[in-house]
Structures are given as structure tokens and as C-alpha cells.
Amino acid sequence: MTAGNTVQAGGPEVIAEASRRRTFAVISHPDAGKSTLTEALALHAQVISQAGAVHGKAGRRGVTSDWMEMERARGISITSAALQFAYGDTVINLLDTPGHADFSEDTYRVLSAVDSAVMLLDAAKGLEPQTLKLFDVCRYRGIPVITFINKWDRPGREALQLCDELTDRIGLQPMPLTWPVGTAGHLRGVLDVPRGEFVRYLPTAHGTTIAPDERLGAREAEADLGADWTQAQEESELLRAAEGEFDASRFSAATATPVLFGAAVRNFGVRHLLDLLVELAPRPAPRADADGRIRALDAPFSAFVFKVQTGMDRAHRDQVAFARVCSGVFERGMVVTNATTGKPFATKYVQQVFGQQRSTVDTAYPGDVIGLVNATALRVGDTLYSGKPAVRFPGLPSFAPAHFAVARPTDLGRAKQFRKGVEQLGAEGVVQVLRSDLRGDAAPVFAAVGPMQFEVAAHRMDAEFGSPIRLEHLSYQVARRLADPSQRALVDKGRNSEILTRLDGADLALFADELALRLMVRANPGLALEPLVAEGG
Ligand code: GDP
């Protein structure tokens, strides 16, 4: 173990290590089975012997206060677990995403750190609102998506219908690699489409053991399964005729998605998913920096911070910054440079977060996630690098807020704590912080994608910064970026609109609703308003 400011030269070892990595996240609507699938994947990789070790489950989706309690009790495991496990020769990095829609901005940031995503659908529900939102981010970022249709062990919709939904609603060509045999709720197994074989459904109790595959050739399958087998063949053939052959390049280009059917809770289809990730999912690739220059994988160490998490526990005010390694070898003890401040950052305390446990990381390669502890100097979007030249990766996107509230300290004597807290929450991206001369610094406006962000912000202002706040909700729902500052007055003098400035200097025009926005645009045709869906920060 080397310590100090060693600049690790890259080389073939880095390229080889990077190509063993698969770094991905599961995107899904709450309840589709993300935690169950995560456990099943880890189990299959035989890292954990008993399901349930990754996430405790009790009361996971309670009310907000429960969420806070759990967050406190479990330290950082709920929103920030980055799980690493070996599967054969492959190193799997599974990045966790928060389950609640209100934290979708966090999820978006996590997605900036992955190379692919598994879109998990509930067979009875198909594409749900949160899945759609997250898929939009994958599309925006060009992230290839594998689709896993879950809960096939119980009644649900028809396979063809679910595949059609992918084409019709999100324009993604479904390329099924398995196809269910048997009716919904009476699953007999799946057709392994490329091999033309039958894989029998052998449920194992709640994923506590790994079922071996039982396979039959086409002829045996027909004899054994009769009409169910023929129907599965016909349906999958129908889809192939309509959508075309499986084409890995279309998956990489994110225009098509391989589809698997399974039941995570029964451990069915999970191994297939792992094999598919190994075979097909993109390996870490060289990344472009903010100037568009490509940073080779074997260049000296570089990484970017995609998430900063502060322990909610008062006794342990530790702050962990999660960074994805983009190039080179990370070695614990290295002193790296923070590109934002130009200052050195010592990486003595680095952890890998595995469920509720943390273990020290000594070495990490491109695609891996490192958790830098006590990283109070680090912000989301920061680049860390070693050696020369300096490198800075593009900032992370921030999203259109839809909820706005004025924050005021309830204890005016704690103005300093208030300012510090507001600045920190803004920097972490817990909420976006907006201000205007009219409102002044004592009354910043918090903007959020979902209202639960406000509760987290208020809780932390009190518990962590010692400045309790009162939030006064504003009746704005729609935000646009105002491109031309000379037009500020046009928006500001509207009755249902206002201009506020974000910490990064962007002018946001807020409107009571879509109607107010339309009326404003109609009255001022030259107004330069840009959508805020997902912009590079
Ligand atoms: P998450 O909110 O997406 O993390 O979903 P969970 O993993 O907590 O699963 C939600 C519920 O669906 C739980 O009761 C699971 O036991 C159940 N579930 C998950 N996968 C399956 C499956 O394959 N079949 C069935 N029948 N239930 C499942």
C-alpha cells in the first residue's frame, strides 16, 4: 500500500481491470421489486448467503418521519449504497437509487455515474410514472437500458402487450431474450430465445437459495409443455417479425432494449440478467472532460463526485462524498487535486459501502465507486484528479423544480448558522437555493423536484445546523430559465410570475402554472425562456 502523493501510471492493468467492470443502476417505480432484485443479484453472485443483508426491509416505505428514522438508524445505506460484488471474473458495481419519486434528482445524479441501467417493470403494471421519468434521463444521457419484467410468478399483463408498450410509449425497440411459457400466474418457465431452449421455472423460497437451471431442447419442450410452448414460440416470433432481430449495436445506441422475464422474489431470471450484464452491458469507457477532451482510461487517476451524503446522526456528522473513478488507479492515501478549488485532497479515509457495512478501499479502477469520508470540502459535480494536466468533467444536471418555498429562520439570533446551513444544503443539492434582491438573503427560496426534499432540508437545518426554519410555500409550479437578463423586468412585473437567481447564477422565471406561462409568452413573444428539463450544470 503506497501512501502520499504517488501518481500512479496507468497501463494495461487499468484497461484490463476497467473492462472487467459493469457499473449500473436499477431504475423502477417503487414496489416493482428493486430491493428484491438487488438482493437476488448479490445472492446469485454468492456474496451474501442470506437475502435481506443488503437492505433491511421493515417499514421501508413509511411516512416521512419513518424515512428519517431509518436513514438515521442505518447511516448511509438507504440512499447511497454502492454495492460491489464479483460474478465470475466480472466486478459488478450496482449503484443504489432512492426509491421515492421526490428524490429523483438524487437518482439523476446517480445515473451520471453508471454505464447502463436495468429498467425493472412490474408485470401487472408495465411502465409507471417514476419509471418513465427515470427512463427519460437514461435517454437524455444515452444510457443503454436492459428491461427486466418482474413478478411473472403471478397474474399480470400479457407479454406482447408489455413489449408493445415499450415501443408505443417510449419508442424503445423491445428485443426479448426470454419469453414466458405458460399463462400469467401459472408460469412454467421461459423460452431462451437465442438458443431456442426451455428453462423451467423452479421457484426457490424467497431467494434464499440459488436454483439450478433445468433446460430442455425444443423437441423435448414441445412434448413436455404442449400448447404453452408453441404459443410462446409463436408470440416471440411475432415480435421478432415486427421488431427485427436482436441487435447489440442498437442496445449500445440506446434505441433498443433487451427484455428478460422473471420473478426476482423467486430467484427466477436473475442469473440470466447477470449473464446478460456480463456479456452485453457496456464497460467503463473513456470520458470526455468539460472541454470535450477524452480522458483515456489509463490516464492518471480521475473521478467525479456524484453524490454527497451527510449522516443524519448528530453524533456522527460525517460527510461521505461518492465519486466514480473515470481513469487510472485509485490508491488509498493518494493526495489528489480538487479541480473546482485547485486544492489538494488527502484520501486517507476511503470506504466502500456495502449495505450497512463499510469496508476500507485500498484500490479502485475505472467504473468503481469510492466513498470519501469526512469530505466536507467536496461538492456534487467536483472532479478529483492526480498528476498533470488538470482535468475537469462536465457538471451534473439539475432539474426543473416544481415546488417552491421561502425559508426563514425561526430564531433570528442564529443568522450565521442559517446562512451556513442554506449554503451547504444548496451545495449538496438537497434543495436548489434561489434568491432575489427583493426577498434578500434572510429569505432564500428553496426549490425542489418533490416536496419531501423540503422536509429533509428543514430537518437538517434544525438538527445539523442548529437553525430551525419555517417554510412558506409559494404558489409557483412551473420554472423556466431566462436566457436574456435584460428581460427580467418583463417577468418580474407579472402578477403570477417572478424571477429568482440560482446559486450558479442562472435566472429562473417562476410561474403559477402553465396557463400563466402561456399568457406571459403570448403577451411577450420575444421572451427567451428555455426549458429546464436536464441541463448540464
Ligand atoms: P422496491 O420498492 O422496488 O424496492 O420493491 P421491493 O423489492 O420492496 O418489492 C415490493 C414488493 O413486491 C415486496 O412485497 C416483494 O416481496 C414483492 N416482489 C418483488 N419481486 C417479486 C416477484 O418477482 N414476484 C412477486 N410475486 N412479488 C415480488
Side-chain angles (χ1 to χ4, degrees):
M1 177 81 264
T2 47
N5 197 2
T6 35
V7 175
Q8 190 73 29
E13 175 214 348
V14 179
I15 307 276
E17 287 292 343
S19 67
R20 296 207 296 141
R21 262 74 182 163
R22 302 291 181 276
T23 303
F24 72 100
V26 178
I27 60 168
S28 66
H29 194 85
D31 257 351
K34 183 161 64 86
S35 311
T36 309
L37 181 67
T38 302
E39 286 167 5
L41 287 168
L43 173 72
H44 263 274
Q46 291 181 314
V47 168
I48 51 174
S49 54
Q50 213 184 347
V54 180
H55 294 267
K57 287 292 298 181
R60 211 166 56 84
R61 256 177 318 281
V63 290
T64 314
S65 57
D66 277 354
W67 181 86
M68 300 247 189
E69 281 306 320
M70 285 176 322
E71 192 72 302
R72 238 195 310 267
R74 287 198 223 154
I76 54 177
S77 67
I78 294 182
T79 52
S80 55
L83 192 60
Q84 185 179 68
F85 51 85
Y87 181 61
D89 280 343
T90 306
V91 178
I92 305 269
N93 290 308
L94 172 48
L95 275 52
D96 195 13
T97 52
H100 196 287
D102 282 8
F103 301 107
S104 43
E105 209 169 12
D106 284 342
T107 305
Y108 298 139
R109 296 190 190 115
V110 171
L111 290 176
S112 69
V114 301
D115 300 312
S116 61
V118 170
M119 177 161 74
L120 181 68
L121 305 182
D122 180 326
K125 300 193 173 141
L127 291 167
E128 295 181 83
Q130 176 74 351
T131 335
L132 289 169
K133 265 183 157 180
L134 293 167
F135 173 75
D136 274 346
V137 184
C138 291
R139 190 203 312 264
Y140 171 75
R141 305 194 66 92
I143 299 171
V145 173
I146 293 172
T147 302
F148 188 91
I149 305 188
N150 193 28
K151 307 197 184 180
W152 209 259
D153 57 318
R154 66 176 196 192
R157 291 164 53 185
E158 283 179 17
L160 276 175
Q161 201 189 14
L162 288 159
C163 286
D164 282 348
E165 200 181 33
L166 296 176
T167 323
D168 298 344
R169 292 186 64 190
I170 58 178
L172 203 57
Q173 180 201 2
M175 302 185 296
L177 292 175
T178 59
W179 195 265
V181 179
T183 52
H186 299 280
L187 181 67
R188 303 183 73 178
V190 290
L191 160 66
D192 178 332
V193 177
R195 293 199 199 171
E197 290 172 359
F198 173 70
V199 185
R200 197 181 299 282
Y201 169 52
L202 297 166
T204 55
H206 288 271
T208 42
T209 50
I210 297 171
D213 271 0
E214 184 194 320
R215 287 178 172 265
L216 296 182
R219 207 165 321 135
E220 294 159 291
E222 191 167 355
D224 189 347
L225 305 151
D228 283 342
W229 173 252
T230 343
Q231 188 184 345
Q233 278 187 317
E234 281 169 9
E235 284 179 356
S236 84
E237 179 54 33
L238 197 69
L239 198 74
R240 196 191 56 78
E243 301 285 351
E245 293 288 345
F246 178 82
D247 178 349
S249 68
R250 298 204 56 194
F251 162 64
S252 314
T255 58
T257 179
V259 179
L260 295 177
F261 294 85
V265 83
R266 305 278 171 221
N267 245 326
F268 188 64
V270 174
R271 184 183 346 230
H272 216 126
L273 177 59
L274 277 170
D275 290 340
L276 191 61
L277 283 160
V278 171
E279 205 180 304
L280 209 60
R283 292 117 178 86
R287 291 212 166 201
D289 70 10
D291 301 320
R293 280 186 304 247
I294 301 294
R295 176 92 171 175
L297 287 173
D298 56 357
F301 166 77
S302 67
F304 70 89
V305 178
F306 63 92
K307 178 157 190 63
V308 173
Q309 177 92 26
T310 307
M312 308 280 272
D313 184 347
R314 257 188 243 225
H316 294 274
R317 278 191 42 187
D318 58 341
Q319 178 165 309
V320 184
F322 293 93
R324 172 188 158 123
V325 179
C326 298
S327 68
V329 188
F330 172 82
E331 292 202 327
R332 188 163 64 91
M334 273 173 126
V335 177
V336 298
T337 307
N338 178 352
T340 309
T341 58
K343 290 194 178 140
F345 181 86
T347 61
K348 201 161 146 200
Y349 303 103
V350 183
Q351 294 175 337
Q352 202 170 42
V353 180
F354 182 95
Q356 293 160 60
Q357 294 157 2
R358 299 176 178 192
S359 59
T360 302
V361 168
D362 286 330
T363 314
Y365 294 96
D368 290 343
V369 170
I370 51 179
L372 301 151
V373 183
N374 294 331
T376 44
L378 295 180
R379 299 278 177 268
V380 164
D382 282 352
T383 297
L384 299 172
Y385 65 91
S386 73
K388 286 202 167 60
V391 59
R392 189 170 182 165
F393 293 107
L396 294 181
S398 62
F399 284 76
H403 302 269
F404 305 87
V406 181
R408 293 184 201 279
T410 51
D411 179 352
L412 293 173
R414 306 187 67 83
K416 213 173 98 195
Q417 288 85 344
F418 177 76
R419 262 204 313 278
K420 187 160 177 274
V422 169
E423 193 199 333
Q424 173 72 19
L425 296 186
E428 274 184 46
V430 173
V431 285
Q432 294 181 33
V433 177
L434 313 177
R435 68 170 305 283
S436 69
D437 289 341
L438 192 69
R439 294 186 184 275
D441 284 335
V445 172
F446 286 0
V449 176
M452 256 163 83
Q453 285 174 259
F454 288 148
E455 294 185 45
V456 174
H459 176 84
R460 288 189 52 188
M461 285 298 292
D462 185 3
E464 215 175 293
F465 301 97
S467 171
I469 57 167
R470 194 172 68 240
L471 286 166
E472 295 160 14
H473 292 265
L474 297 173
S475 58
Y476 299 121
Q477 291 172 12
V478 179
R480 292 285 185 276
R481 178 203 271 269
L482 181 73
D484 178 357
S486 73
Q487 295 179 325
R488 293 174 60 117
L490 289 177
V491 179
D492 246 350
K493 70 172 198 266
R495 256 195 311 137
N496 292 316
S497 58
E498 177 176 353
I499 292 279
L500 290 166
T501 306
R502 209 165 51 188
L503 282 181
D504 65 0
D507 281 336
L508 300 198
L510 311 189
F511 299 92
D513 49 28
E514 289 288 343
L515 180 66
L517 166 63
R518 277 208 299 279
L519 291 175
M520 174 68 67
V521 172
R522 194 181 302 162
N524 305 282
L527 200 58
L529 294 175
E530 295 166 356
L532 273 166
V533 187
E535 42 175 331

